[in-house]
Amino acid sequence: MALSVEGKHALITGAGSEGHANGYGAVDTGISLAFAQRLLQEGCSVVIGDLKLGAEAEALLGSYPHPPPAAGRPSAIFHKTDVTSWPQLASLFAAALAAFPTLDIVVPGAGLYDPPWSSFWQPPRTATNPDSASRDKADGEFGHYAVIDVNLVAPIRMSQLAIGHWTKRGQRGCIVHVGSVAGYLAEAASPLYFASKHGLHGFVRSLGDLRDELGIRTGIWYQDPGRADEILQGCKWLTVDEIVQAMFDLTVKAEYGNGTILEVTPGATRVVPMFNAPPPKPGAVHMPAMGAFHEKLFDDLRSSGLDV
């Protein structure tokens, strides 16, 4: 039996952007915003956490004002949030619970795909590496890569906050994470991104028992937010509707939620098994420019080395 989201309340990060460079510097496909819209259409109120709102997100909030004009109507609010800041994540949850009686669905949707300012191949700037595009701090007492902070650390912290809320109140809940086939593949072009997705997959798998023990559903749907550069040119992307439907299925279908990794590729959807998973179907992962980028990367490393 499918669950219903009507009358529920969701918190989604990264839903302020609409298919252009978002606040975190990645080219976002607007999936988090589209999922927020789908939930609102289904009667679920939404809290959006992001650095800013684009015009489409502003319009969405205008269509679902808070407080709602009539009882039983869903509403939406925005809370400015940098997901790499734990105090700001705590503030986001507090704002959500000040506006709504509880939270039922949490979606850590903010993500990065290897921006030049936080890339393994653009090491943090130092005296011997003065021209790096990196904004990660080489002299930080506790070092950070923004890609890891946004793609892995923030979702883990948001999961803690959500699970704490639900278990303290004896409530059920659902966490939908942003995954990728990068979670079980590997490529030298974007090692931080691949590492973040491998880590996220392991984290979600580890929470699989929460559904049957505590009524807390966890799962991953696949999205690779694109970067408008040579790595991803010519990629075959899913439609927004295909991905939003997969996210909605993870949220409402009873057979999912026990650490489910739901792989959605063009023309195929499957649950990825824990062990000995076969690869995606031929052609499902299509990145024609990756070979050229790979070759150029290693030519540069052989000829010039890596400035650190």
Side-chain angles (χ1 to χ4, degrees):
M1 179 182 297
L3 306 175
S4 173
V5 300
E6 186 175 1
K8 305 293 187 182
H9 307 87
L11 186 159
I12 307 177
T13 60
S17 62
E18 51 216 42
H20 54 70
N22 65 21
Y24 296 98
V27 176
D28 190 281
T29 56
I31 301 300
S32 294
L33 175 59
F35 189 54
Q37 184 174 26
R38 173 67 182 272
L39 290 177
L40 286 160
Q41 291 170 346
E42 298 283 345
C44 177
S45 295
V46 171
V47 180
I48 293 176
D50 210 329
L51 290 175
K52 60 182 180 180
L53 286 178
E56 191 175 339
E58 289 271 16
L60 183 65
L61 264 67
S63 299
Y64 295 93
H66 183 82
R73 283 181 53 85
S75 61
I77 67 169
F78 169 69
H79 189 77
K80 185 176 180 180
T81 308
D82 178 350
V83 299
T84 67
S85 165
W86 287 18
Q88 290 191 38
L89 285 181
S91 176
L92 173 62
F93 273 77
L97 294 173
F100 301 117
T102 189
L103 285 173
D104 305 284
I105 302 164
V106 172
V107 183
L112 294 175
Y113 187 95
D114 202 49
W117 51 266
S118 185
S119 167
F120 183 80
W121 301 115
Q122 291 282 352
R125 191 173 301 177
T126 64
T128 58
N129 179 31
D131 298 322
S132 175
S134 177
R135 298 205 302 257
D136 297 324
K137 302 297 184 183
D139 57 355
E141 186 66 30
F142 299 97
H144 297 272
Y145 291 108
V147 169
I148 302 295
D149 287 345
V150 173
N151 290 359
L152 181 58
V153 178
I156 290 173
R157 182 56 179 155
M158 289 181 67
S159 297
Q160 282 183 322
L161 293 169
I163 292 168
H165 170 71
W166 293 323
T167 55
K168 287 295 186 181
R169 291 161 179 78
Q171 295 180 2
R172 295 174 178 269
C174 177
I175 308 171
V176 180
H177 288 279
V178 178
S180 167
V181 291
Y184 50 81
L185 300 177
E187 169 53 50
S190 309
L192 294 182
Y193 178 76
F194 278 73
S196 72
K197 295 306 180 182
H198 273 261
L200 188 64
H201 283 212
F203 174 69
V204 171
R205 291 282 199 198
S206 299
L207 299 184
D209 289 340
L210 268 64
R211 185 194 68 175
D212 296 335
E213 296 287 343
L214 299 169
I216 298 174
R217 297 162 58 89
T218 59
I220 280 182
W221 60 278
Y222 280 148
Q223 176 207 7
D224 279 324
R227 190 180 74 185
D229 63 9
E230 67 272 30
I231 299 180
L232 298 178
Q233 288 177 5
C235 288
K236 183 189 295 183
W237 299 106
L238 295 165
T239 67
V240 171
D241 289 344
E242 286 175 310
I243 298 179
V244 167
Q245 185 58 51
M247 295 176 69
F248 194 73
D249 289 346
L250 273 174
T251 305
V252 303
K253 285 193 173 181
E255 65 266 33
Y256 298 151
N258 56 339
T260 306
I261 295 182
L262 185 64
E263 178 188 280
V264 185
T265 55
T269 298
R270 66 168 180 165
V271 174
V272 181
M274 176 82 77
F275 301 109
N276 301 317
K281 289 184 177 181
V285 182
H286 182 65
M287 302 178 75
M290 184 65 78
F293 182 88
H294 185 104
E295 184 176 348
K296 180 180 184 303
L297 169 67
F298 283 94
D299 283 347
D300 289 346
L301 288 172
R302 278 188 289 268
S303 62
S304 304
L306 183 67
D307 292 329
V308 295

